[in-house]
């Protein structure tokens, strides 16, 4: 993948000043090592009237798999072939954005020690990116770059020029032109918007990405009409980080409008006033109750069935008593997010040997799930249609048969305590049902009897004297061989 940056000049302001701004001499071809390959900077042309700098990134597909989310260790959910055969070596993405930041770091910060007057000067700029993924098409490309002062030519790339009926691909050939921007501004625009258009990142997005976004977006992001989309995509749609970034951007906007510093605007609450206790989220209480029950059962090898984005797996990994943790989900997307959350690509070998992520449907038996000490079905059963519950029951209690099974599900009686939940509505749009305490106990008792388990019930959250707890948990413990197996023996 590569991009070019071109400028024009005059004898008084030669175009070769671009070399000073980029801190790369036009007479030299230079190479820089990155985590995923090698970046090259060269100048196809360098004269007083016109100068072009090119950044070429050679991506090592094997290194990308080893260091990225497809590292293996049994935890990577991506298809094996797709790890090596993809568009990463050819299409501009977060890989190119990271290389841009690493190679032109001083230029992005507007630093030029040799000619300090240059960074603040606007100049004619032309940027070309031959293959740019654009999730949202050419219209989104224009919607992102035009408000920043760019003239945009985003030409869709055909899937195959020999077969016009196939239509266009999701890639565009991009040309940006401006005479009102500095080189530093141009680089910062690219650094943020390349991964935004690709709508993906090759590395785990953590809280420090908010700071990176705000630094690169200084002076333009707070007023951008597509601010929310840019922020959400840049932060890989992590809502907590997106909310944090949006709040800080609003402070920046208010400070600019009031001609003040951000610190002067954000001073309504004294530091000591922020010590007020906040209620513990129900999701946290639920995980704590599950970990406690697993600890009391003596389980060491645990299945998290319907693991979703890996929150429980992450909590279990913090306790060395759990020597093997398997997260199971039918959704490949959920497993991908779980892999990022757990940072499997950066996990030490000893820790990585304790965890794996497996794609499987709980409606079918799976020999890989047999022989474990415990299994957890946390907020899972209510997402299944009632006619499919018997299949899940047999797959878990009849086939996998862990010694302990924990099942949590909402208590529909408690819904009247949620002020924001309209009467008659379930808590989540995907819930197929929500049971009363009596209904859940009846189902659990019948399952336990059919498969040779005893069952106890544990409240999760505040146990309201009238409507019970918000979450109900059944703890199944194997007590005998089920009746059918005994007769067969």
């Amino acid at each position: 993948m590569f991009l070019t940056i071109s400028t024009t000049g005059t004898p008084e302001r030669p175009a070769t000043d671009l070399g000073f701004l980029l801190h790369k001499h036009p007479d030299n071809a230079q190479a820089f090592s990155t985590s995923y390959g090698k970046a090259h900077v060269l100048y196809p042309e360098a004269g007083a009237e016109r100068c072009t700098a090119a950044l070429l990134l050679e991506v090592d597909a094997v290194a990308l798999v080893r260091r990225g989310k497809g590292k293996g260790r049994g935890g990577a959910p991506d298809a094996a072939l797709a790890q090596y055969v993809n568009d990463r070596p050819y299409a501009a993405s977060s890989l190119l954005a990271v290389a841009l930041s690493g190679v032109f770091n001083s230029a992005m910060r507007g630093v030029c020690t040799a000619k300090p007057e240059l960074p603040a000067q606007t100049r004619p700029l032309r940027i070309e990116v031959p293959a740019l993924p654009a999730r949202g098409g050419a219209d989104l490309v224009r919607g992102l770059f035009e408000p920043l002062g760019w003239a945009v030519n985003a030409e869709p790339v055909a899937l195959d020029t020999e077969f016009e009926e196939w239509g266009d691909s999701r890639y565009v050939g991009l040309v940006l032109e401006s005479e009102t921007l500095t080189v530093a501004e141009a680089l910062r625009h690219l650094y943020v918007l390349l991964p935004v258009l690709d709508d993906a990142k090759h590395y785990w997005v953590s809280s420090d990405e908010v700071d990176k976004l705000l630094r690169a977006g200084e002076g333009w992001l707070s007023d951008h009409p597509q601010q929310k989309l840019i922020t959400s995509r840049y932060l890989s749609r992590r809502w907590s980080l997106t909310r944090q970034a949006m709040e800080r951007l609003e402070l920046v906007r208010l400070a600019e409008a009031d001609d003040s510093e951000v610190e002067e605007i954000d001073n309504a609450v004294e530091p000591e006033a922020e010590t007020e206790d906040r209620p513990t989220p129900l999701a946290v209480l639920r995980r704590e109750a599950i970990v406690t029950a697993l600890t009391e059962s003596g389980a060491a090898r645990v299945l998290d069935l319907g693991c979703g984005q890996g929150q429980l797996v992450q909590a279990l990994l913090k306790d060395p008593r759990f020597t093997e943790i398997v997260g199971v989900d039918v959704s490949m997307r959920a497993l991908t997010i779980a892999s990022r959350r757990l940072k499997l690509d950066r996990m030490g070998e000893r820790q990585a040997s304790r965890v794996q992520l497996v794609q499987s449907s709980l409606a079918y038996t799976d020999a890989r799930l047999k022989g474990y000490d415990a299994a957890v079905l946390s907020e899972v059963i209510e997402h299944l249609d009632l006619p499919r519950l018997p299949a899940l029951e047999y797959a878990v209690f009849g086939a996998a048969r862990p010694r302990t099974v924990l099942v949590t599900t909402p208590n529909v009686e408690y819904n009247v305590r949620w002020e924001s939940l309209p009467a008659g509505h379930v808590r989540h749009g995907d819930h197929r049902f929500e049971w009363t305490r009596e209904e859940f106990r009846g189902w659990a008792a019948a399952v336990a009897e059919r498969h040779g388990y005893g069952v106890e019930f544990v409240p999760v959250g505040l146990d309201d004297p009238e409507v019970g707890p918000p979450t109900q948990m059944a703890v199944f413990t194997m007590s005998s061989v089920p009746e059918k197996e005994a007769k067969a023996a």
Side-chain angles (χ1 to χ4, degrees):
M1 66 179 78
F2 75 99
L3 61 79
T4 59
I5 304 173
S6 301
T7 187
T8 56
T10 64
E12 294 75 25
R13 292 183 60 184
T16 48
D17 280 347
L18 184 63
F20 288 100
L21 286 164
L22 297 179
H23 292 253
K24 303 293 180 287
H25 198 287
D27 291 343
N28 301 327
Q30 301 178 56
F32 306 85
S33 294
T34 74
S35 300
Y36 303 95
K38 186 166 287 188
H40 302 266
V41 178
L42 58 148
Y43 287 77
E45 54 183 340
E49 295 184 356
R50 183 175 176 83
C51 184
T52 298
L55 173 64
L56 170 66
L57 179 62
E58 292 183 293
V59 176
D60 184 339
V62 175
L64 183 61
V65 172
R66 287 176 177 170
R67 296 181 61 89
K69 65 183 180 181
K71 191 171 182 177
R73 294 176 171 168
D78 297 298
L81 182 60
Q83 295 176 3
Y84 296 93
V85 183
N86 52 55
D87 66 353
R88 300 298 87 176
Y90 316 108
S93 65
S94 61
L95 287 164
L96 187 59
V98 170
L100 198 73
S101 173
V103 174
F104 299 137
N105 182 267
S106 296
M108 281 184 62
R109 291 185 288 114
V111 175
C112 181
T113 53
K115 293 188 175 184
E117 73 281 2
L118 292 182
Q121 296 176 359
T122 60
R123 61 189 59 248
L125 293 173
R126 178 184 174 92
I127 294 175
E128 297 184 50
V129 185
L132 174 68
R135 295 187 187 273
D139 288 341
L140 179 59
V141 178
R142 287 188 285 270
L144 293 179
F145 282 102
E146 285 180 351
L148 301 175
W150 292 102
V152 181
N153 182 5
E155 191 70 29
V157 177
L159 281 170
D160 193 314
T161 55
E162 298 295 322
F163 300 93
E164 294 183 3
E165 63 273 18
W166 289 6
D168 295 328
S169 68
R170 69 182 185 94
Y171 304 92
V172 299
L174 177 65
V175 178
L176 302 173
E177 293 183 303
S178 175
E179 296 190 359
T180 61
L181 295 169
T182 66
V183 169
E185 289 171 331
L187 293 175
R188 290 198 294 267
H189 295 167
L190 292 170
Y191 175 74
V192 173
L193 297 181
L194 289 181
V196 166
L197 283 164
D198 190 24
D199 198 10
K201 283 198 171 182
H202 66 279
Y203 57 89
W204 169 251
V205 173
S206 56
S207 57
D208 62 344
E209 290 294 293
V210 175
D211 294 325
K212 294 179 185 177
L213 174 62
L214 296 183
R215 282 197 300 270
E218 184 178 358
W220 62 271
L221 183 55
S222 61
D223 295 320
H224 198 290
Q226 295 287 352
Q227 178 199 104
K228 186 173 182 179
L229 179 142
I230 294 169
T231 304
S232 175
R233 285 194 177 191
Y234 184 87
L235 297 171
S236 295
R237 302 179 189 272
R238 294 190 60 191
W239 70 267
S240 59
L241 298 182
T242 302
R243 183 179 63 183
Q244 178 185 341
M246 294 292 288
E247 290 173 351
R248 291 172 62 180
L249 284 168
E250 178 62 13
L251 284 174
V252 170
R253 188 188 68 78
L254 292 172
E256 290 176 347
D258 197 41
D259 196 21
S260 304
E261 296 296 326
V262 170
E263 292 76 11
E264 297 176 25
I265 296 291
D266 190 22
N267 64 355
V269 179
E270 297 295 332
E272 57 268 22
E274 299 179 4
T275 60
E276 180 181 348
D277 291 337
R278 296 182 180 180
T280 304
L282 181 58
V284 175
L285 294 174
R286 191 161 46 234
R287 286 195 292 273
E288 290 175 349
I290 290 170
V291 173
T292 298
L294 289 173
T295 301
E296 292 175 351
S297 74
R301 303 174 67 239
V302 180
L303 298 169
D304 181 8
L305 304 176
C307 67
Q309 299 180 14
Q311 291 94 330
L312 178 58
V313 174
Q314 187 177 45
L316 294 175
L317 273 172
K318 296 176 182 177
D319 193 329
R321 284 176 290 195
F322 303 114
T323 58
E324 184 177 351
I325 305 151
V326 180
V328 181
D329 206 287
V330 71
S331 168
M332 190 70 76
R333 175 172 171 79
L335 292 172
T336 299
I337 296 172
S339 177
R340 291 174 178 170
R341 174 187 294 276
L342 298 170
K343 302 180 183 180
L344 290 177
D345 59 316
R346 288 178 271 174
M347 194 177 286
E349 293 294 336
R350 179 176 296 180
Q351 187 81 331
S353 67
R354 296 174 56 210
V355 60
Q356 58 177 313
L357 301 179
V358 175
Q359 185 188 26
S360 184
S361 171
L362 301 181
Y364 302 95
T365 60
D366 189 333
R368 295 175 296 177
L369 307 184
K370 291 184 178 181
Y372 285 84
D373 300 330
V376 179
L377 290 157
S378 180
E379 309 301 284
V380 170
I381 60 173
E382 64 273 11
H383 291 273
L384 275 69
D385 294 315
L386 283 170
R388 302 192 70 185
L389 273 185
L392 176 143
E393 173 191 330
Y394 177 75
V396 176
F397 295 91
R401 292 194 60 74
R403 291 202 316 267
T404 301
V405 181
L406 308 182
V407 180
T408 74
T409 193
N411 169 22
V412 71
E413 296 170 83
Y414 192 88
N415 286 359
V416 296
R417 297 292 189 255
W418 302 115
E419 295 181 1
S420 59
L421 186 64
H425 284 63
V426 293
R427 297 184 196 177
H428 190 283
D430 189 52
H431 286 184
R432 305 302 200 266
F433 61 88
E434 288 178 357
W435 275 335
T436 65
R437 288 167 290 172
E438 183 179 353
E439 288 170 329
F440 180 55
R441 287 170 181 257
W443 173 82
V447 169
E449 183 178 356
R450 282 192 291 268
H451 298 283
Y453 284 80
V455 62
E456 297 179 351
F457 299 92
V458 178
V460 179
L462 177 65
D463 197 355
D464 189 290
E466 294 182 9
V467 297
T471 295
Q472 44 194 341
M473 180 167 70
V475 181
F476 296 85
T477 305
M478 188 183 294
S479 57
S480 64
V481 177
E483 184 179 345
K484 289 183 179 180
E485 291 185 17
K487 288 181 179 178

